[in-house]
Amino acid sequence: MEDIESDALLGSDIIFRPIQLADIPEIHLFPVTYGDSFYKRLLKPGFFTVAAISKGQVIGVATARYEQRSYFDKALSYVIQRNRHSYLCTLGVRQDFRRKGIGSALLQEICRVVAKRGRCHSIALHVKTENRAAVDFYEKHGFIRLCREYQFYEIRNQLWDAFHLIKYLDDINRPHMSPLSLMLSSFFIMIITIWSTLTFVPRRLYSRVQYLLEEELPT
Ligand SMILES: CC(C)(COP(=O)(O)OP(=O)(O)OC[C@H]1O[C@@H](n2cnc3c(N)ncnc32)[C@H](O)[C@@H]1OP(=O)(O)O)[C@@H](O)C(=O)NCCC(=O)NCCS
């Protein structure tokens, strides 16, 4: 599998490459615990992964996928004239390696990979509003807030709000926001926010059933 070059952390012993099957048992970096089936799915086509490796150990991962778009997202994408988007599924650095620039390097790499290999114009993500460190981190890296989604995450039976953030990946494709398109996109963002609030319960039920079915299926 091809290694990924990185401009960041040049001169250190850290290398960046896609996640491999053998890495999966080692990846327990996040506040949310994902099962092995989650990571196995990330190795399939349509997903992009970057692992930071130091002395043979995985010290950080970033994973992304093409964004599955809802009807309203498609309408919004029409207004801002974009057609290929990605979504950051996870980003995490091992606790003892934080604040050394590794998260920034991983984010830089995954953005480069989805822009170059996936030909995506943007990368979006959700982050818990309470996770100030991560919100600051993403905003420092040029992400902007699309909206706040209420009770987006359910973690150990507790519900948490999330910010929906987005970063545009190149200046050429940055949307030109005329007053009309700004007004239209604000309207669509309002509709999306109302829609996501109203459909929260059915969507949670659907994803829970899907998750339970996947856990039951033999791999
Ligand atoms: C968010 C995370 C990936 C950042 O990784 P990292 O390697 O520590 O980040 P960096 O060293 O590249 O930090 C870059 C900048 O982000 C900001 N930042 C990072 N961690 C921060 C913290 N705990 N508090 C405040 N700002 C923070 C700072 O501005 C920092 O620059 P500085 O160190 O020069 O002040 C890491 O804290 C992490 O793995 N957290 C747990 C998982 C998680 O919350 N993931 C994101 C939600 S999906």
Side-chain angles (χ1 to χ4, degrees):
M1 202 177 274
E2 138 198 38
D3 278 5
I4 298 163
E5 302 146 24
S6 174
D7 303 335
L9 302 171
L10 215 59
S12 74
D13 66 345
I14 298 166
I15 63 153
F16 296 87
R17 59 151 173 78
I19 292 178
Q20 297 166 359
L21 195 60
D23 298 329
I24 290 173
E26 226 184 308
I27 303 172
H28 295 288
L29 306 163
F30 307 99
V32 182
T33 311
Y34 297 103
D36 280 0
S37 61
F38 173 83
Y39 287 104
K40 283 184 187 154
R41 198 164 43 201
L42 296 175
L43 301 177
K44 293 181 180 164
F47 290 92
F48 307 92
T49 66
V50 180
I53 312 290
S54 173
K55 298 186 174 73
Q57 288 189 319
V58 183
I59 57 166
V61 292
T63 67
R65 58 168 163 75
Y66 285 119
E67 193 169 25
Q68 291 150 8
R69 313 221 76 187
S70 68
Y71 175 78
F72 289 110
D73 284 342
K74 282 179 186 155
L76 177 63
S77 125
Y78 175 77
V79 172
I80 62 173
Q81 296 168 5
R82 304 299 255 272
N83 54 13
R84 220 171 158 103
H85 303 266
S86 61
Y87 185 84
L88 188 75
C89 307
T90 58
L91 172 68
V93 174
R94 219 171 78 181
Q95 186 91 45
D96 46 333
F97 282 90
R98 288 182 192 164
R99 298 309 283 267
K100 296 176 196 296
I102 295 160
S104 301
L106 279 166
L107 189 60
Q108 180 194 313
E109 285 301 334
I110 200 78
C111 289
R112 199 174 68 82
V113 169
V114 295
K116 197 174 160 193
R117 211 179 296 159
R119 300 199 307 281
C120 291
H121 300 290
S122 72
I123 185 159
L125 61 93
H126 285 90
V127 58
K128 265 167 66 181
T129 53
E130 306 274 319
N131 191 348
R132 286 307 321 169
V135 174
D136 288 352
F137 169 82
Y138 288 124
E139 291 188 339
K140 185 175 177 178
H141 286 285
F143 281 79
I144 52 171
R145 290 183 200 183
L146 277 179
C147 60
R148 182 185 184 118
E149 297 198 23
Y150 295 94
Q151 305 186 335
F152 181 81
Y153 288 115
E154 187 188 340
I155 303 169
R156 291 181 209 100
N157 294 325
Q158 196 173 347
L159 296 169
W160 301 89
D161 293 354
F163 288 126
H164 192 181
L165 306 182
I166 193 164
K167 179 180 166 106
Y168 296 104
L169 295 173
D170 52 59
D171 286 338
I172 299 157
N173 290 308
R174 195 180 292 273
H176 171 67
M177 288 298 221
S178 67
L180 178 67
S181 57
L182 194 65
M183 207 174 71
L184 282 172
S185 53
S186 308
F187 172 73
F188 278 113
I189 288 167
M190 192 180 74
I191 297 286
I192 291 164
T193 307
I194 294 169
W195 173 261
S196 68
T197 307
L198 291 179
T199 59
F200 169 74
V201 172
R203 281 190 292 115
R204 284 243 73 90
L205 279 174
Y206 175 74
S207 62
R208 179 50 63 99
V209 169
Q210 203 180 28
Y211 173 77
L212 287 174
L213 285 175
E214 275 179 14
E215 288 293 294
E216 289 300 316
L217 288 175
T219 51

